[in-house]
Amino acid sequence: MNQALLLFAFRLVSAGILLALLGGMAWLVYQDLRMSAATAAEQHQALGHLRVVVSEERGPSLDTLFPLLPVTSIGRAQGNTVVIDDGYVSSEHVMISRRGKQLWIEDLGSRNGTLLNDLPLTETTVVSSGDIITVGGAKLKIELAQHA
């Protein structure tokens, strides 16, 4: 076999290996994008909702439903998931977050505190369906979706 033919075969094999590497990288990027899209969709999927069961004059209307997301913030500021326009509610009052398969509630250092089932919330605590959160003059009942 002459040297030119051997060099041509080497180039073909090298090009094939390069194309296989590029194809493998493209496949990995595609799989990563699919997984990222699924994760993003899951993060915006409601786990259930918070139902207003008691409300004062300036608070939300009775039976108003707020989505319960993997991270749900409650407070007076407009950036919260649940906005309660009440002078007794801090701008960032309380947060409910999903950790693994459980939902946890944490008071964010609010001035007037948070009640969970009519008891003061003093530390991060696991919550479940049917629990009542009192923030200012509003009482919110946790109602989880069946799949959550």
Side-chain angles (χ1 to χ4, degrees):
M1 198 188 269
N2 71 19
Q3 193 175 8
L5 189 58
L6 189 59
L7 191 56
F8 180 70
F10 179 73
R11 285 182 182 167
L12 283 177
V13 169
S14 296
I17 292 172
L18 182 61
L19 286 174
L21 282 172
L22 288 174
M25 288 175 32
W27 183 79
L28 288 174
V29 168
Y30 170 73
Q31 293 297 326
D32 186 52
L33 286 173
R34 276 187 39 204
M35 200 163 30
S36 295
T39 301
E42 182 180 302
Q43 287 178 346
H44 293 291
Q45 179 180 7
L47 304 171
H49 52 265
L50 295 169
R51 179 182 302 273
V52 178
V53 292
V54 172
S55 181
E56 290 188 355
E57 187 177 312
R58 292 189 54 152
S61 303
L62 285 177
D63 285 329
T64 301
L65 298 178
F66 295 102
L68 189 55
L69 302 174
V71 176
T72 302
S73 59
I74 303 171
R76 198 174 63 240
Q78 292 300 314
N80 289 297
T81 310
V82 179
V83 177
I84 300 176
D85 186 21
D86 182 335
Y88 291 101
V89 177
S90 299
S91 58
E92 294 177 350
H93 197 98
V94 69
M95 181 172 55
I96 302 170
S97 58
R98 182 177 185 171
R99 298 179 191 165
K101 299 265 184 203
Q102 296 178 318
L103 286 176
W104 293 75
I105 186 168
E106 174 183 8
D107 186 276
L108 299 175
S110 64
R111 186 177 28 162
N112 295 310
T114 303
L115 299 178
L116 177 62
N117 298 322
D118 293 326
L119 297 173
L121 183 64
T122 57
E123 60 185 19
T124 304
T125 306
V126 175
V127 292
S128 57
S129 193
D131 285 345
I132 304 287
I133 303 164
T134 305
V135 178
K139 290 191 177 200
L140 307 167
K141 182 178 182 182
I142 296 175
E143 297 179 349
L144 299 176
Q146 295 297 337
H147 61 81

